[in-house]
Amino acid sequence: MKFLDLRFFILFMWGLVMIACLSFIFIIAPISKQQQIHQIYSIIVIQTSLIQAILAVIIVGILIYILNKFKKIYLFKKLLDKEKG
Amino acid sequence: MYPPSYEFIVFSIIASLVSFLITLIIMPIFIRFLISKGKVVNDSHKPNKPMVPRPGGPVLLLSIIAGELILFFMTGINEIMGIIITTAIAFVVGFIDDFKIMPGWFKPAALILASIPIIMFHAYDNQLNVIFGNVFIPLLYIPLILIAIPLVGNTINSIDVFNGAATGFLIITMVPLLSSSLLFGNLDIFLIELPFFASLLAFYKFHKYPSKIFPGDSGTLIMGAMYGSFAIASQSEIIAIIALLPAIMNSFLFLSSVRKIVEHRQIKARPTILKDDYRLEASKEKDAPITLVRLILLDGPLSEKQIVNKIYKLGFFSSCLSFITILLQYFILNIK
């Protein structure tokens, strides 16, 4: 599979999804364990949910930023390749 | 994991057959009805621009709801009703958009409404399945649902650019979703998914190249809302995201190049150009939005059928990645 193949772009996105899953397990899941200990619908649940939401937005935001950077490099190389061709 | 009752399996087969046959039998009648009422649009990528009836959404909705209602009355599973209402609201949103050009924000905003029945009927779990384990997010899951249904609905809608593209792509990507439901213990949801899959298979007969009917926004939003609902109900959100990666890539490329939520009909610069020999080539205009099809065409001009085949191949590739992920999850679960 070449870099300029569209499947490579999809493979890269898959890698990012896997990184997101791992980040959720190592960053957000430990907070959830605290949440499970406390009573549901208590103020602690709301607080931890808010922290989880902020962390999730940051993780997804970073991954979208990386994807955007990758897209720019990919498009640049693809257009360059087309001009050469 | 527990085996579903023998009756449930029989009901699911009957419901799937009903969904399949309704689409197969009523669609030709509905096509004639739409033609007689003048509800036709140009198929602009073909010689002489033939007129094709639109939308096929109403029959698609009828067939899916008939199948799902059989399952609901026979089993009484509440999630089915939540999914039915979600799909019906998505249909109404799409149906309005089929006949009236609405602003770009309309579909995503209105589809938030469609997500509410999923929450009300609690057709979700408080845990998000992230392949390597589960994350307990009872409150955070609700906004996730409100985002997921509009996102999937619009993503499927945005890939419906050529004959059969959306339906064929969704059939391919349904396979990993069905497998995930079957493997990870959501057997009830797997059986509920079958009538939708059967309906899609029957609809493909009419939507494939050369199309006899277009699904319209009502049809594609039904497909997207239903797919999203099943992904949530079967706890296969990540599997579904991976299977839909080509469509998500299309939406991402489009949004990042246009930089706002806008109805595609409102964009003046087209991403592709139709040549005299009815092949398409990538637009050279700087202002034209970047889409999946434009990227496909950067390698050279292609016919509509060739482009649709390329989209199917990408769907097949992403479905393979979904299967790799399913295997990964299966092994992790067994190790634990």
Side-chain angles (χ1 to χ4, degrees), chain B residues 19-328:
Chain B
S19 291
F20 186 81
L21 289 175
I22 285 178
T23 310
L24 212 61
I25 295 165
I26 298 182
M27 198 61 86
I29 302 165
F30 192 64
I31 288 171
R32 286 197 291 275
F33 170 77
L34 286 174
I35 292 170
S36 71
K37 294 286 174 192
K39 301 290 181 202
V40 287
V41 289
N42 275 326
D43 189 351
S44 52
H45 301 123
K46 293 190 183 65
N48 303 323
K49 296 186 177 177
M51 302 300 272
V52 178
R54 192 190 73 162
V59 177
L60 200 60
L61 179 79
L62 179 75
S63 67
I64 293 168
I65 285 190
E68 297 296 348
L69 276 180
I70 290 172
L71 283 178
F72 176 71
F73 287 121
M74 295 299 178
T75 62
I77 295 175
N78 269 337
E79 280 100 325
I80 301 176
M81 194 43 80
I83 292 168
I84 288 175
I85 299 172
T86 290
T87 310
I89 297 172
F91 166 77
V92 173
V93 173
F95 201 67
I96 293 169
D97 211 49
D98 276 332
F99 293 104
K100 202 174 173 194
I101 296 172
M102 304 300 285
W105 56 264
F106 173 74
K107 269 184 282 184
L111 280 174
I112 293 173
L113 275 179
S115 327
I116 293 170
I118 299 280
I119 300 163
M120 282 174 64
F121 286 86
H122 212 279
Y124 66 97
D125 205 337
N126 288 330
Q127 303 208 39
L128 178 68
N129 168 13
V130 283
I131 311 298
F132 304 99
N134 288 322
V135 184
F136 181 68
I137 44 167
L139 290 183
L140 195 58
Y141 207 102
I142 294 168
L144 269 182
I145 295 169
L146 295 176
I147 296 168
I149 300 294
L151 212 69
V152 182
N154 279 291
T155 297
I156 299 301
N157 183 252
S158 69
I159 208 160
D160 183 42
V161 280
F162 296 109
N163 289 195
T167 315
F169 177 78
L170 213 62
I171 288 171
I172 296 166
T173 53
M174 266 302 285
V175 180
L177 188 63
L178 284 164
S179 310
S180 174
S181 306
L182 191 65
L183 264 176
F184 300 119
N186 300 297
L187 293 172
D188 289 351
I189 302 297
F190 168 76
L191 293 172
I192 297 166
E193 285 168 353
L194 289 180
F196 172 58
F197 189 60
S199 191
L200 276 182
L201 286 174
F203 185 64
Y204 183 71
K205 181 184 183 303
F206 303 98
H207 190 209
K208 70 177 182 193
Y209 183 93
S211 288
K212 294 178 183 73
I213 191 166
F214 291 148
D217 286 342
S218 55
T220 52
L221 290 190
I222 288 172
M223 295 179 202
M226 200 112 208
Y227 192 92
S229 305
F230 285 137
I232 290 165
S234 64
Q235 282 191 277
S236 306
E237 303 89 345
I238 304 296
I239 301 298
I241 288 172
I242 294 166
L244 292 181
L245 276 179
I248 293 169
M249 178 184 168
N250 181 49
S251 296
F252 171 75
L253 289 169
F254 180 83
L255 282 173
S256 63
S257 59
V258 176
R259 293 187 181 276
K260 59 180 175 182
I261 297 171
V262 64
E263 176 63 27
H264 63 91
R265 282 169 284 210
Q266 292 170 331
I267 291 171
K268 285 172 188 161
R270 307 303 301 169
T272 57
I273 300 163
L274 189 65
K275 287 162 65 95
D276 293 337
D277 58 0
Y278 286 92
R279 284 189 308 158
L280 286 124
E281 68 176 353
S283 170
K284 291 180 182 76
E285 275 188 66
K286 277 189 176 174
D287 296 336
I290 301 163
T291 62
L292 180 66
V293 175
R294 195 177 174 196
L295 280 191
I296 289 172
L297 291 171
L298 277 178
D299 294 332
L302 293 173
S303 69
E304 184 184 7
K305 200 173 181 182
Q306 287 171 319
I307 296 168
V308 173
N309 281 337
K310 287 241 177 195
I311 293 171
Y312 290 168
K313 279 179 188 169
L314 290 176
F316 179 75
F317 179 70
S318 61
S319 295
C320 289
L321 290 178
S322 272
F323 275 112
I324 292 171
T325 315
I326 288 170
L327 281 175
L328 191 68

Side-chain angles (χ1 to χ4, degrees), chain A residues 50-81:
Chain A
L50 201 67
I51 295 165
Q52 283 178 325
I54 293 165
L55 287 171
V57 168
I58 291 169
I59 292 167
V60 173
I62 291 169
L63 294 175
I64 289 176
Y65 177 79
I66 295 169
L67 184 62
N68 208 29
K69 285 280 170 203
F70 178 78
K71 180 204 82 179
K72 281 179 185 167
I73 297 166
Y74 182 87
L75 287 178
F76 178 74
K77 292 212 171 193
K78 187 106 183 167
L79 290 171
L80 206 69
D81 186 64

Side-chain angles (χ1 to χ4, degrees), chain A:
Chain A
M1 195 189 302
K2 290 176 189 169
F3 176 77
L4 294 179
D5 195 323
L6 274 173
R7 286 176 301 175
F8 188 84
F9 199 115
I10 292 168
L11 193 67
F12 185 81
M13 287 175 83
W14 178 68
L16 289 182
V17 172
M18 289 293 110
I19 291 169
C21 289
L22 282 170
S23 309
F24 270 61
I25 285 292
F26 289 114
I27 301 168
I28 293 175
I31 302 169
S32 321
K33 277 173 190 158
Q34 286 295 316
Q35 206 173 43
Q36 276 172 304
I37 294 164
H38 295 93
Q39 264 193 336
I40 200 152
Y41 299 130
S42 69
I43 192 76
I44 295 161
V45 174
I46 297 168
Q47 281 173 349
T48 48
S49 292
L50 201 67
I51 295 165
Q52 283 178 325
I54 293 165
L55 287 171
V57 168
I58 291 169
I59 292 167
V60 173
I62 291 169
L63 294 175
I64 289 176
Y65 177 79
I66 295 169
L67 184 62
N68 208 29
K69 285 280 170 203
F70 178 78
K71 180 204 82 179
K72 281 179 185 167
I73 297 166
Y74 182 87
L75 287 178
F76 178 74
K77 292 212 171 193
K78 187 106 183 167
L79 290 171
L80 206 69
D81 186 64
K82 199 197 171 196
E83 274 178 22
K84 277 181 190 171

